[in-house]
Amino acid sequence: MNDILSAQIRQYYKAIFYWHKENGDVTIERIIKANQTWGRNNDNVNEYKSALEEMPHPEKATLYEMYFVAEKVRSGILEWNYTEKNHEDISLGDIANKIIELYKEAKNVKDAKESENTIFIVIDHDIQNDNEYFRKADVVYKNILLNNEKNIGGRVAVADTNLEFERLSGKESYKFRRPEYLNFEELPQGSIYDLVLNGHITVHEVNAKK
Amino acid sequence: MFWTIEIKLKNEDNEQHRLTIPKGHVFEKKSIGTGIQNVAAAHDYPVVLPPRSEIAMVIEVFCINQHLSPPSGSYNLTCFKISKSFANQQDLWSIMQP
């Protein structure tokens, strides 16, 4: 993953980690008091203690572990302290949201990098609309050429057709298929595409007509 | 009636090039998400390009994306062809489904 994003996530995670390590007892008292008020047992106290013990040290935590803790701050056992603020007056909830946002960004960068090599298929549950899909598709499929000056490509046909496949499959996620799963195959060496790519032939115009 | 792609080619070399634009060769729009059809050649098109020559060809095509608008405007020649056989437009649309 991107080193800068990783360092930022770790920096934010430190704020959550040290706040809970220093204020765990206060939190437990708060939970017990709330339980008494609402007539609940103290199962959530034990859950909080476990979360506190299991929280990995900032120097050793993986990115996923930090993301996992942030999710608990946003919506889980660590949510008790969502509105507490660190020494820079930023709430733990805001810090958690920042970690989640950066983690997803880092993951997207990783996915794109993997697609550039061999994996070439990504399932993305974060894309909300077609415009986001078009932007992401341009990254995911970036190792398929698109050179409008030379009038050659392949990326557009794959990205557009993949979206149509998604629509027809009726699922809400956006999956990026390899070209072969879209019934595209690469032209062999020596094809007209190859000759254009290597400067032997120039394509001046390609226009659709009826 | 077929849709067609009109393509102008120039041989930049001092030797002849003899090649084929194969049936199923894909032509694409110039940017993602235009909402306009990408297309595939309906037949094989043999091409002979004498040294330093320029030619214009008309290629009959079928539409790849059933739910997009009809072909129009500028296209790119791509590195892909359709991997399965098809005889007509309906065949191609049947292939291009998940």
Side-chain angles (χ1 to χ4, degrees):
Chain A
M1 288 204 184
N2 184 301
D3 288 343
I4 295 170
L5 291 174
S6 300
Q8 285 178 316
I9 290 171
R10 201 168 297 282
Q11 198 58 35
Y12 281 120
Y13 175 71
K14 276 182 187 172
I16 291 175
F17 177 85
Y18 286 114
W19 192 95
H20 278 281
K21 290 295 179 186
E22 289 166 12
N23 300 287
D25 291 343
V26 177
T27 305
I28 290 168
E29 283 174 22
R30 187 182 295 168
I31 298 172
I32 290 171
K33 194 175 174 186
N35 288 344
Q36 287 169 347
T37 303
W38 296 101
R40 293 185 300 227
N41 64 30
N42 285 331
D43 285 354
N44 51 2
V45 174
N46 293 330
E47 194 184 344
Y48 178 78
K49 283 179 180 173
S50 296
L52 205 56
E53 281 173 17
E54 290 165 5
M55 207 181 284
H57 191 276
E59 300 304 327
K60 294 181 179 172
T62 65
L63 287 184
Y64 181 75
E65 286 170 335
M66 293 186 279
Y67 164 76
F68 187 69
V69 168
E71 284 284 11
K72 282 185 178 174
V73 171
R74 188 160 76 169
S75 175
I77 191 63
L78 302 179
E79 193 181 348
W80 285 95
N81 311 102
Y82 190 93
T83 57
E84 295 289 347
K85 293 183 176 174
N86 71 351
H87 62 278
E88 289 174 342
D89 208 32
I90 304 171
S91 76
L92 297 186
D94 285 343
I95 291 170
N97 284 329
K98 198 69 192 166
I99 290 172
I100 291 164
E101 184 184 309
L102 289 170
Y103 176 82
K104 287 180 176 175
E105 189 179 340
K107 189 172 175 300
N108 283 344
V109 170
K110 180 173 173 281
D111 287 346
K113 192 170 173 55
E114 284 176 348
S115 75
E116 192 177 13
N117 299 323
T118 55
I119 292 178
F120 213 84
I121 190 158
V122 181
I123 298 174
D124 195 313
H125 299 286
D126 301 326
I127 297 174
Q128 301 294 323
N129 55 51
D130 285 356
N131 284 335
E132 283 181 36
Y133 168 82
F134 297 141
R135 277 196 297 275
K136 186 76 185 286
D138 204 31
V139 176
V140 171
Y141 291 124
K142 69 181 178 183
N143 63 339
I144 303 175
L145 185 71
L146 175 57
N147 185 332
N148 286 332
E149 285 182 16
K150 282 192 166 185
N151 296 313
I152 55 173
R155 191 186 309 164
V156 173
V158 169
D160 282 357
T161 304
N162 180 68
L163 182 58
E164 192 168 46
F165 269 50
E166 281 300 280
R167 294 265 164 70
L168 292 170
S169 69
K171 291 174 186 163
E172 290 183 2
S173 67
Y174 285 80
K175 186 191 293 175
F176 295 92
R177 293 167 177 79
R178 295 183 186 122
E180 60 264 35
Y181 293 134
L182 300 166
N183 298 318
F184 289 137
E185 70 178 45
E186 283 195 45
L187 294 168
Q189 230 177 356
S191 69
I192 184 170
Y193 173 84
D194 221 19
L195 293 169
V196 174
L197 187 65
N198 293 308
H200 299 290
I201 292 175
T202 306
V203 179
H204 285 303
E205 281 181 41
V206 188
N207 290 310
K209 298 267 169 63
K210 194 163 191 176
Chain B
M1 177 185 281
F2 280 101
W3 290 94
T4 60
I5 285 286
E6 292 185 5
I7 184 167
K8 289 181 182 169
L9 303 171
K10 183 183 178 191
N11 182 353
E12 302 288 353
D13 291 343
N14 292 321
E15 59 186 62
Q16 174 179 281
H17 287 296
R18 187 184 291 269
L19 49 98
T20 299
I21 294 177
K23 180 177 179 179
H25 191 140
V26 174
F27 297 88
E28 69 175 14
K29 289 299 292 176
K30 287 182 167 289
S31 58
I32 298 168
T34 59
I36 296 171
Q37 289 281 345
N38 301 290
V39 296
H43 316 284
D44 283 341
Y45 287 87
V47 187
V48 178
L49 277 166
R52 298 283 165 188
S53 66
E54 284 188 53
I55 64 162
M57 299 174 64
V58 177
I59 297 168
E60 293 180 341
V61 294
F62 292 129
C63 299
I64 292 175
N65 311 108
Q66 188 170 3
H67 299 91
L68 299 186
S69 302
S72 68
S74 299
Y75 280 70
N76 284 336
L77 178 148
T78 76
C79 55
F80 296 114
K81 71 186 279 288
I82 303 297
S83 60
K84 293 181 178 168
S85 63
F86 58 92
N88 52 45
Q89 178 64 76
Q90 202 54 49
D91 270 0
L92 182 55
W93 277 338
S94 300
I95 291 168
M96 300 308 286
Q97 290 192 20

